[in-house]
Amino acid sequence: QVRLVESGGGSVQAGGSLRLSCTAPGFTSNSCGMAWYRQAAGKQREWVSSISLDGTTSYVDSVKGRFTISRDKAKDTVDLQLDNLKPEDMAMYSCETLSSCTYSSGQISYTGRYRGQGTQVTVSS
């Protein structure tokens, strides 16, 4: 079964940087559109950024100019570069397919919408 796995979270001071990565171990994707979300303690889940099938990117206003979403075709990952982090960026960050997406492993394929468990980003002031 397909699992999305995020990595790269950690603890940094304000102004620091992290690079998050999202992949499906053991599977290759068919260039799925992907989004990053975050959920801070006690708050609702918030959309952060998306990259569509054609590579079009979009961001929530609060992270524009600081976060960059990209697709690494060689590694088959979707990454989120977080620069100039602020305490208000602290949250659990998770990736999710924008729509139904096909992942393949040899002769086996799975199609559906997938979401990872998340990776924690902690920012201290």
Side-chain angles (χ1 to χ4, degrees):
Q1 191 58 275
V2 178
R3 289 187 308 125
L4 293 184
V5 177
E6 302 89 344
S7 61
S11 297
V12 297
Q13 290 189 327
S17 297
L18 288 170
R19 187 174 185 86
L20 309 182
S21 186
C22 173
T23 189
F27 292 89
T28 56
S29 67
N30 186 22
S31 295
C32 300
M34 195 70 71
W36 282 93
Y37 289 81
R38 65 186 178 185
Q39 186 166 20
K43 295 188 177 181
Q44 287 191 331
R45 190 168 180 246
E46 174 188 39
W47 168 81
V48 176
S49 179
S50 298
I51 184 166
S52 65
L53 286 173
D54 66 2
T56 301
T57 59
S58 54
Y59 302 90
V60 68
D61 285 347
S62 60
V63 309
K64 283 181 180 178
R66 300 188 299 118
F67 291 9
T68 305
I69 191 170
S70 61
R71 182 178 285 118
D72 188 325
K73 292 184 179 180
K75 297 180 180 178
D76 200 18
T77 62
V78 173
D79 300 334
L80 186 67
Q81 177 69 35
L82 284 59
D83 294 319
N84 191 22
L85 280 160
K86 303 177 180 181
E88 53 264 40
D89 295 319
M90 184 164 65
M92 180 73 76
Y93 285 71
S94 60
C95 60
E96 181 174 333
T97 55
L98 281 179
S99 61
S100 185
C101 180
T102 298
Y103 287 86
S104 302
S105 178
Q107 300 294 325
I108 302 173
S109 294
Y110 295 94
T111 299
R113 298 194 67 165
Y114 302 98
R115 180 197 296 189
Q117 295 291 319
T119 184
Q120 179 66 38
V121 171
T122 301
V123 185
S124 57
S125 56

